Amino acid sequence: MAQTSSMKLLGARNMTCIVERMEWNNKMDLIAYGTEKGEVVIQRLNWQKIVTFPTPGEDVRVRSLSWQMDETLLAVGYSNGKVALLDAESETIISGLIYDDDIKKVYFSKAINCQETLGSYTCNAKDKHKRFLPKLQPLTNIDPCLKSLDQKSFPKGSPCFLVVIMRSGKVHLLLLGALQAGSIDLTQHVLHPEQFDVYDVRLNGDFNAIYALLRDGLQLKMLHFHNQVLQDCMAPMLELATHCAHILETKNYINDTQQCLTEAWETVQLEMDNKLTKYANSQAYGMISTHFLELHVFGFATFEVEEFLFDTLSEKGFKKIANSVDLSLNNLQGLVFKQLNGAAINMFYFLNTIAGFGRMSHFFESLISPEVAVEAMRSCGAFYLKVHELQRTIDSLVNDMKLFHAWMIFTILRLSHQEIPDEMVLSEEENVALADLLCAMEPDLEEGSDDDENIECPSGGMPTRSKFNLERVGQYLENACLTQLYPVDPNQLWEQMLAENECLGQCPLFVPHDKKLSLVQQRDKMFNAIDAVFHKPTESISASFKLSTAVVCCQLPPMEPEEEQDFVTCSYYVHEAGRCDMLAVTISWQEAMVLEFSRAEDCLLRCTRVQLLPGPFTPQLHEDYYNLRFVDLQFYNESSLSMLAQSTSSTPGVRPHSYFIQFSLSAARNQSTQHHLAPLMNLPDATVTHSIHDIPEAAAFKGLDGVCEMLAVSGSRKVATVLSDRKRKMTIFEMEIEDEEDDTEMSQASFLEISKESILAINDSDKQD
């Protein structure tokens, strides 16, 4: 006979919208759910909302939710191909990935136990870089809300895999959310790719194989792929993934710093545009330098210059502009000297470490190509040289602008016949430097060049062109080659050696310095070289997936897009104590199968097949128990499987009844069959189906209110959540309660309280609307 389940009602709420996904945190009092609007909400057991993450786009649905083990990090897969890692504690988006296909499922694997899996490779250099590298200074100019998904830090915590399953059948593995640790296309391993669908893909407990549950034509199959690289190189992979995360964070920091540089440079241009550029655009090209040189050398000011100095500007107004420009240039100097320079040094340190790993071929031969790592180091060195080149260019501009501003204030005072302090009088050396500056203020245009054609003419008819030669700095922040190369210092010995010996510039032992590339181009070149470093682990791991076992679970009806699809839902659990991987899957509306893959040397598969229908020798049951079908199932723990079932009736208008079933796997162990893993196994021919009503003390039933459609359970938290009423009502139960608190036979008063609360919640939502 069916037993009753020991559960206690904690509460029920009508939600403001349809809930499509639910997931309990295994350690903390947190449940996450995704709505039909694409939002992700995290709340506590007492219904207190912690944070709501908005949808990443219009008409985007939440496909999957997964908590990182014992952490506040939530992985979310969206229908537009985005995978976001959300932190419930800081209420921020930690990082994100973008794929070009719809997401089927994302999940975190169990934590990698370093004591068990690191094997013979040990490294005591964890976060050793903190001893040598100063911490990168925060970028106060960047608004965290304006950062895109790929510009955030990467998650910390227990090392684990993030697995991304695409609807197309491609599966991507990421270690620490950073290192691309291989991928596999399941359509290459099926007989009927035209009738293919993937339901779930899971890493085994030893992280050296994956299980793929999929449709292959008219068969539901479980494919087992072994991976030798994952088995042999887990410890080096963890080391490489840690440095990969540091490198990606540094890349994001460089991108953010470059964004700040662009904003600071635009501020400099804006300050100059206010008054000075307006005057410059009103003059013919070359006349500004001519007029200012006449004013400087002969003390003669033209009418246009006097009008600009006294009518447009004043001493006080020019000092204000000068202070603003100096402040912006100082900010620009700080960003290059501190942030960008520090990030380049950090990047070189991490790449140098990876190049060192590559020389330990016994451990890293399958993961790192030493030649590619050295080339990435050289590209990083070239970027560092370009940063210093930009720094010297900015320093030169700062000195020039200070000299120009001092001379302009001096000239205004002299022409207005005011007293000039002695400290404002320029020295002979400063006068020579000022003359050179005024001559170079408008570079000469080469004859026959296209510069005249590229000068834009605003509505006033005067061209917009070089603004006091500020382009010598601005050109570094554009994705184009430099037009004004940094002048070579003839006194530098290294420059002389390079000019006399071309072989030195091509030697791989020295860092190349391409003077024609801008900072943006040099950064992109460095990023491409870094990406090439991490291609090898992906290629090695992907090529190492070998199909070892194909298990046929059942026969499926043909795929018909217009008709209701076959019902296949599954749940996965890693049993550490038993050293086995457990998979529960529904193979029809009334039948389910529990597979236990042993990770021991015996290579055994234990299979338990159960059905909701009564057997030929089943005692008399309640009429609803004769017409039950599966709605959802999840592992509660290693010894219990939680099922959600629903009654069916051929009579129209009859409301179905829902039942929560707690199924004991230990009680059903005598009804299971054992099999040795073989390349091809057909379980329907080698197993027997048992009715859950005929297994003694195996199934505990509990009637539920409403038409239930989804289930979320947590054995560690001892809670269960059920969605009903078209996924708009959430009911939470406490599991494993004491006998005196048993609320199994829920009274009509309890149902009435839930109904009243539901009506009140609906009225509140209507008032808000």
Side-chain angles (χ1 to χ4, degrees), residues 267-465:
T267 303
V268 174
Q269 291 180 311
L270 180 62
E271 296 295 341
M272 299 295 291
D273 281 345
N274 286 336
K275 300 289 178 114
L276 302 181
T277 307
K278 183 178 180 181
Y279 162 71
N281 289 336
S282 66
Q283 303 298 314
Y285 195 87
M287 295 306 296
I288 298 176
S289 294
T290 302
H291 291 163
F292 281 170
L293 277 172
E294 289 180 353
L295 181 61
H296 174 55
V297 177
F298 303 109
F300 172 75
T302 62
F303 174 77
E304 292 82 0
V305 173
E306 286 191 0
E307 184 180 16
F308 166 66
L309 294 179
F310 295 103
D311 295 344
T312 306
L313 287 177
S314 63
E315 178 190 356
K316 184 180 295 185
F318 192 83
K319 285 183 177 180
K320 185 177 179 181
I321 293 177
N323 291 334
S324 299
V325 173
D326 289 343
L327 184 62
S328 301
L329 288 175
N330 290 335
N331 185 28
L332 203 65
Q333 276 183 306
L335 286 172
V336 175
F337 179 73
K338 295 179 181 179
Q339 276 88 348
L340 203 57
N341 188 64
I345 294 175
N346 284 19
M347 184 69 79
F348 191 86
Y349 177 91
F350 296 133
L351 291 174
N352 185 35
T353 306
I354 290 180
F357 289 154
R359 294 185 175 93
M360 294 187 287
S361 58
H362 178 72
F363 297 110
F364 291 92
E365 183 178 7
S366 302
L367 304 176
I368 300 175
S369 174
E371 296 79 9
V372 178
V374 170
E375 186 60 32
M377 278 180 56
R378 299 180 73 241
S379 297
C380 182
F383 176 76
Y384 183 72
L385 292 178
K386 188 61 64 174
V387 171
H388 273 267
E389 182 181 313
L390 174 60
Q391 181 180 333
R392 294 192 298 268
T393 304
I394 294 176
D395 292 342
S396 176
L397 177 63
V398 169
N399 294 331
D400 290 346
M401 294 306 295
K402 286 182 178 180
L403 182 60
F404 176 73
H405 293 156
W407 174 72
M408 288 291 289
I409 296 175
F410 169 83
T411 303
I412 292 175
L413 293 177
R414 182 177 62 83
L415 293 178
S416 59
H417 306 288
Q418 299 183 37
E419 183 179 355
I420 301 176
D422 294 338
E423 63 269 12
M424 294 190 64
V425 179
L426 302 181
S427 64
E428 182 178 353
E429 183 180 353
E430 290 175 333
N431 280 312
V432 174
L434 179 61
D436 294 338
L437 170 63
L438 296 177
C439 289
M441 187 173 287
E442 293 177 305
D444 294 334
L445 297 178
E446 298 180 2
E447 294 184 3
S449 67
D450 297 333
D451 290 348
D452 293 322
E453 300 177 2
N454 295 334
I455 296 176
E456 299 179 0
C457 293
S459 57
M462 299 305 297
T464 301
R465 37 158 224 281

Side-chain angles (χ1 to χ4, degrees), residues 609-613 670-672 688-692 694-695:
R609 289 178 62 182
V610 295
Q611 65 178 6
L612 294 176
L613 298 176
N670 293 332
Q671 278 67 36
S672 62
V688 178
T689 304
H690 300 271
S691 172
I692 62 173
D694 295 340
I695 304 176

Side-chain angles (χ1 to χ4, degrees), residues 197 215 556-567 589:
D197 195 7
R215 168 193 275 270
L556 297 175
M559 296 183 68
E560 299 292 342
E562 293 80 10
E563 297 181 4
E564 186 178 11
Q565 291 295 315
D566 50 280
F567 178 71
W589 288 103

